[in-house]
Amino acid sequence: MTTTRTTRKTTVRPDSPLIPFVIQREGEEAAPDNLRLTPLGSGRYRLSYADEDPRDRDLRGVLWARCGLGPVDDQGRPTGRPQWRMMHPLRQRGCMQMLRCQVCAGPARTPLGWTFLAGPSTVDPNNEPVLTNQPPVCPKHARTAAELCPHLTAEPMVFLARSAPLYGVIGVGYGVRDGNVQVVERPTGPIPYGHPLMPTVLASQMVRRLGVFRLLTLGELFTALEDAS
């Protein structure tokens, strides 16, 4: 799967008439974290914000990195220059939780399931579990996503999945070092829900596991969807 983490190094493409909803925009910077660790006993801790809001945690109770939200247009879509190699944590999480299109944020489900795209050599369909941090795409914007997203090519791998349960998150683990709350663990891959590290994780991307799926090309996807309609 693609495991690129959010960083401050950005690549900006020329203006496009359509910017995927999940892309972070210029000016949407990391918000003050105000992080603290609460002892739970037996050497265990829970990471939280001093001024925590219910929106700071996902459906499984994991704490998420804060990131500013920029202005929106009259249709409620984000504005500002796109930072193409960065996904906004809150928008990525929303699309993944609700299985909505990463381009338009509309419903992504089709009669045959959900469409997930992957770039070359980023996902091995033969290596279980098959994981993705890329939200699905709707049929209308599958080609658009392939053309715009930096991690994809014009002919990406297409996973048409009937099953895509939540798996975990990409994030870092916090602890106390030199008397300060700071990052002490940087896992190289996704952290599954239920992992012992999860209470002290600050997440930045949500991950799903692709269960029952068909591996197709974009052309085969459109043909299959047409035949099913």
Side-chain angles (χ1 to χ4, degrees), residues 8 22-25 28 67 82-83 86-89 91:
R8 288 294 163 210
V22 297
I23 294 298
Q24 191 163 316
R25 304 302 185 100
E28 294 183 325
C67 186
Q83 309 299 287
M86 301 171 70
M87 286 192 289
H88 192 283
R91 294 198 289 269

Side-chain angles (χ1 to χ4, degrees), residues 8-90:
R8 288 294 163 210
K9 183 178 180 181
T10 62
T11 299
V12 178
R13 290 190 172 191
D15 289 341
S16 167
L18 180 62
I19 309 299
F21 177 74
V22 297
I23 294 298
Q24 191 163 316
R25 304 302 185 100
E26 192 171 69
E28 294 183 325
E29 303 295 338
D33 48 34
N34 305 314
L35 292 169
R36 64 183 183 182
L37 285 166
T38 302
L40 299 177
S42 303
R44 297 179 299 115
Y45 293 85
R46 184 175 189 261
L47 187 69
S48 63
Y49 289 113
D51 58 345
E52 190 167 312
D53 182 281
R55 293 169 295 183
D56 288 320
R57 294 187 182 272
D58 64 23
L59 295 174
R60 302 291 179 88
V62 176
L63 193 67
W64 275 69
R66 289 175 169 177
C67 186
L69 291 168
V72 297
D73 60 21
D74 56 2
Q75 297 181 339
R77 294 187 59 82
T79 62
R81 200 176 188 193
Q83 309 299 287
W84 282 101
R85 293 192 178 276
M86 301 171 70
M87 286 192 289
H88 192 283
L90 186 60

Side-chain angles (χ1 to χ4, degrees), residues 3 40 79 87 98 101 126 144:
T3 57
L40 299 177
T79 62
M87 286 192 289
M98 304 300 292
C101 175
N126 299 310
T144 301

Side-chain angles (χ1 to χ4, degrees), residues 100-119:
R100 299 182 78 84
C101 175
Q102 64 170 280
V103 177
C104 68
R109 187 168 189 170
T110 74
L112 299 179
W114 294 273
T115 301
F116 294 87
L117 305 182

Side-chain angles (χ1 to χ4, degrees), residues 13-222:
R13 290 190 172 191
D15 289 341
S16 167
L18 180 62
I19 309 299
F21 177 74
V22 297
I23 294 298
Q24 191 163 316
R25 304 302 185 100
E26 192 171 69
E28 294 183 325
E29 303 295 338
D33 48 34
N34 305 314
L35 292 169
R36 64 183 183 182
L37 285 166
T38 302
L40 299 177
S42 303
R44 297 179 299 115
Y45 293 85
R46 184 175 189 261
L47 187 69
S48 63
Y49 289 113
D51 58 345
E52 190 167 312
D53 182 281
R55 293 169 295 183
D56 288 320
R57 294 187 182 272
D58 64 23
L59 295 174
R60 302 291 179 88
V62 176
L63 193 67
W64 275 69
R66 289 175 169 177
C67 186
L69 291 168
V72 297
D73 60 21
D74 56 2
Q75 297 181 339
R77 294 187 59 82
T79 62
R81 200 176 188 193
Q83 309 299 287
W84 282 101
R85 293 192 178 276
M86 301 171 70
M87 286 192 289
H88 192 283
L90 186 60
R91 294 198 289 269
Q92 189 269 358
R93 174 180 126 196
C95 286
M96 276 300 230
Q97 282 188 166
M98 304 300 292
L99 284 169
R100 299 182 78 84
C101 175
Q102 64 170 280
V103 177
C104 68
R109 187 168 189 170
T110 74
L112 299 179
W114 294 273
T115 301
F116 294 87
L117 305 182
S121 303
T122 59
V123 176
D124 183 353
N126 299 310
N127 186 19
E128 293 288 342
V130 180
L131 306 176
T132 183
N133 62 340
Q134 295 293 326
V137 294
C138 67
K140 179 181 178 181
H141 293 118
R143 180 68 69 184
T144 301
E147 293 172 349
L148 292 179
C149 294
H151 75 285
L152 298 176
T153 64
E155 288 298 333
M157 288 191 290
V158 178
F159 293 83
L160 183 56
R162 287 193 173 277
S163 168
L166 289 174
Y167 176 83
V169 301
I170 292 173
V172 294
Y174 274 74
V176 177
R177 179 179 290 165
D178 299 326
N180 298 312
V181 177
Q182 56 184 286
V183 176
V184 296
E185 294 190 53
R186 296 184 181 276
T188 57
I191 309 163
Y193 285 116
H195 191 281
L197 182 63
M198 204 60 92
T200 57
V201 162
L202 188 66
S204 58
Q205 294 181 20
M206 185 171 281
V207 176
R208 283 187 176 270
R209 177 179 62 83
L210 302 185
V212 180
F213 64 83
R214 295 163 60 188
L215 187 59
L216 307 171
T217 65
L218 279 176
E220 290 169 339
L221 169 69
F222 297 138

